[in-house]
Amino acid sequence: MTNERSHIISAVVLHRPGVLQRVAGLFTRRGFNIDAITVGPSEKDGVARMTIISRGDEKVLEQITKQLNKLIEVIKVRDLDPPSTVLRELCLIKTHASHEKARSEIIQYANIFRGRIIDVSPVNLTIEITGTPEKIDALIDLLQNFGIQEIARTGPTAITRGAKTI
Amino acid sequence: MKGSRAIIQSLTDQGVDVVFGYPGGVLLPLYDEIYDSDLRHILVRHEQCAAHAADGFARASGKVGVCIGTSGPGATNLVTGIATAYMDSSPVVALAGQVASHLIGNDAFQEVDTLGLTMPITKHSFQPMTPTEIPSMIKSAFYIASTGRPGPVVLDLPKDVQEAELEYPDKITIDLPGYKPTKKGHPLQVKRAAEVILNAKKPVILAGGGVILSGSSDEIFKLSELLGAPVTTTLMGKGCFPEDNPLSLGMLGMHGRKVSNFLVDDCDCLVAVGCRFSDRTTGDVSKFAVNAKIIHIDVDPAEIGKNIPVDVPIVGDAKIILSHLIRVISQVESTQKKEWTEHVKQFRSSCLPRLSFDDTPLKPQQVIKEISEAVTDDTILTTDVGQNQMWMAHYFTSRNPRKFISSGGLGTMGFGFPAAMGAKVALPEEDVIAVCGDGGFLMVCQDLATVKEYDIPVVVCVLDNRYLGMVAQWQKLFYQERISHTELGEVPDFVKLAEAFGVNAYRVKKPGEMKETLKEALNSGEPTLIDVIIDPNEILPMVPPGCGLTEMVGEYKVEREVPGEIPYRSSAAERGGD
Ligand SMILES: Cc1ncc(C[n+]2csc(CCOP(=O)(O)OP(=O)(O)O)c2C)c(N)n1
Ligand SMILES: [Mg+2]
C-alpha cells in the first residue's frame, strides 16, 4: 500500500477482564497488524487507556477505529496525530559488565541517554531508560558490543499534547 | 432468591416466554428452577438446533430468541448457531452453563472457554462471577442483542453463581458507556443523498437485511414509487419489497436474477440500504456498479467503505433515514425517472425466469412454482443452504418481510429445519415451511423428535437430488465434472425416516403433486415431511467467483409462453382454511 504508515491509536476502554482479549482478538481476526499494545488504568476509576501501534493505510486505519468502536467495552478511539502527540516507552536492559572499563562506559552511555542504573551485580548492570522507541533502539545498538543479556520493553504509551484530551 | 431463579426472573422481565435448550450437569440448578416456572422450555435434540430455532424465532418475530446449552460440548454445539446469527445480525441470547467458578481454568470436566470461543462470533458476552450481577447482565444482553445492528450475545453461567443467593433488585440499571448506536442520519448527508438521487437518470435501490431489521419496507416502497426506481435485494433483504411488483428485480449477486445483475451494472445511482456488500452480492468489486454514485445507509459505521467505496455514507437507523430522505425528495416537483422506469419494466418482463416445466424427475423451478401456488402471503418459508436455497431465493416470489428466512452470511447447512421450528413457535398461527436439501436436512433430522413431541406443525420439503447439489454444481462447472464426494447415495428413505419419528410423510415425484401435497400437509396441522424427488442435473445460472455480475454462466431459461407471468398466489380461504 502506498500511504501505509505507523499509527498511534489511543483507546479508552472499560477496565474489565477480557477487554484486552477482545481487542487483540479483533486485530488477529480482521488481519490488522499490531506492533505494540499497552494498557493500564486511566484518570477515571474503572476505565483504562490502551495504546496500540499499528501499521496500515488510511482505509485500514478507518476500519481499525470503526471496528474497535463497535466493541461494547470500548468507550472512545482516536488515531493520534503524531506531531501533536507525546509518545514514550520504558525499557529495561541487562548487559554483561564484568570488566571495570565496560562498566564505566555503560554507565556513561546510560547517563547520556538519561537512563538510570537500577541494578548492579559483579557481572552485570541493569539500565532503565524511557523515551521514544527510536531513542531506546539507539541505546540498545550501543550496548550490543558489551553483550546484552535481556531486554524488556513495555511498548509505547501516548497522550495528546497541550490542552486537548480524547 | 437463587441465581438460577434470578436468571428466569430476568428473562421474564425481558418478555421471554419460550426458550430452546438442552440440559446438562452444570445447568441442573437452572433446570430445577425451570421445572417450577412458567417459562416454556422446548427440549431440542441437538444444541445446534436450539440456537437455530432461537434464531428462526427472532427472524420471524423480530423479538430476541433465547437458547440454552450446557458447558463444554453443549456450548460448542451452540457455536455454529451463534455464528449463523452473528453473520446475519439476528438478535439471539445464548445461555451457556459453565463449571463452578473455582474450577475455571483447571480443565474441569466439561469445561471449555466459551467466552473465548464465541468472542469473534458475538456482539458481546458476559460472565457473572457473583449472582448480583445476573439481573443487569441479562438486561444488558437483551438490550445489546436487539438494538443498533442486532446480533447474538452469550451469557456464560458458572454453576456456583446459579446456586448462590442474591436479593433481586426492584430497579435494574444498566451501564454501557461504550455502546450508543446512532439512530438519526446526519441531515447534511441526507441532503447530499437526495441531490444525487434527484440528479440521477437511472437509480436502483438495493435493499438488504437491515431493511427488514429496521422495519423499513414501507419506506423502501415509497422511495421506489416516488422515483419509479426498481428495487433489488440481497438474500437477506428478500421479501422487504413485493417481488411481483413490476419494479422488483429480485435478488442480486452470484445467483441473482439476470435483470438485477444487469441493471445494477447499468445504473447511475445505487441507493444501498442495510446491506454490507458481501462478495456473494457484488461479485468482483472492481466491476461492481462502476457507473453509479453509491449512497450507503447503514446502522453500522464499520460497514461503510469496508467492501465498496461509497460516495454518500449515512450512518443510522434505515427507517429514520429513509423517512427523512423521502421528505426531502418529495419537496421536489418531478421526481419520476419515466424513461428508466419503462426500460426497467420491459427488461424485467423479457427475462422473468421460466418456472413451468412438465418434466419428470421434477425440475426445481416447477417445485418452487407449486410451492408458491400453495402458500399465502403470510406463510413463512425457511431454506437450508445449497441449491435448494438459491432456487428458492431466485424463483420464489416473496411479498412480505420476515417471511423468507435463510442463512446468508455463514451459509449453514442444517439451518432451515430448526429455524422453521423456531419461527412456528414464535408465530403459531402462521404456516411455516422449511425447504431443505437432502444433505442439509440429514444434519438436523433428529429434531423431527422435537416437532413431534411438542406438536410444532412445520412442513419440511426435502428437495431430494441425492447430491450435495451446490458443491456438485461447482465441480461440474469449474472442476471438469470430477464429482468428488458429493454423491449422497441411496439412503436414507426420508419417508421412513420421518415415520420413525411419528411424523407424517409423503413422496412427490410428478408435476402437480407438490402443490396438492403441500396444501394437504398445511391443512393437516401436523408436522409433515415431503420428500420431493428432483432432477439432480439442473444447474442454476451463476456468476463465477471473481467475475463481474453480468458475466453469468449457465443457460438463463426465461418464461416464454406468457411473458410477465407471476406465479399465482391462492389465499388461505381457497386452500380450504387453516
Ligand atoms: C455445515 C456445512 N457444511 C458444508 C457446507 C458446504 N456446502 C454448501 S452447499 C452444500 C451442499 C448442500 O447439499 P444439500 O443439502 O443436499 O443441498 P442441495 O445443494 O443439493 O440443494 C455444501 C456441502 C455448508 N454450507 N455447511
Ligand atoms: Mg441435495
Side-chain angles (χ1 to χ4, degrees), chain B residues 318-337:
Chain B
K319 194 176 177 75
I320 299 174
I321 294 170
L322 284 172
S323 323
H324 188 175
L325 187 62
I326 290 165
R327 266 203 315 282
V328 176
I329 290 178
S330 38
Q331 284 164 3
V332 175
E333 215 158 280
S334 84
T335 55
Q336 290 290 323
K337 320 279 180 183

Side-chain angles (χ1 to χ4, degrees), chain A residues 14 16 18 21-22 29-30 59 62-63 66-67 69-75, chain B residues 86 116 119-120 123-125 144 149 176-179 300-302 304-306:
Chain A
L14 290 182
R16 293 229 185 106
Q21 193 187 351
R22 284 183 207 277
R29 176 164 91 85
R30 300 239 173 226
K59 187 173 174 247
E62 185 182 322
Q63 268 299 306
K66 283 175 167 178
Q67 295 292 351
N69 259 317
K70 269 172 74 170
L71 296 178
I72 307 290
E73 286 161 340
V74 171
I75 301 169
Chain B
Y86 181 71
M119 224 167 246
K123 192 168 166 188
H124 196 55
S125 45
I144 291 169
R149 178 179 183 173
L176 300 166
Y179 182 63
D300 181 356
I304 287 169
K306 188 182 83 178

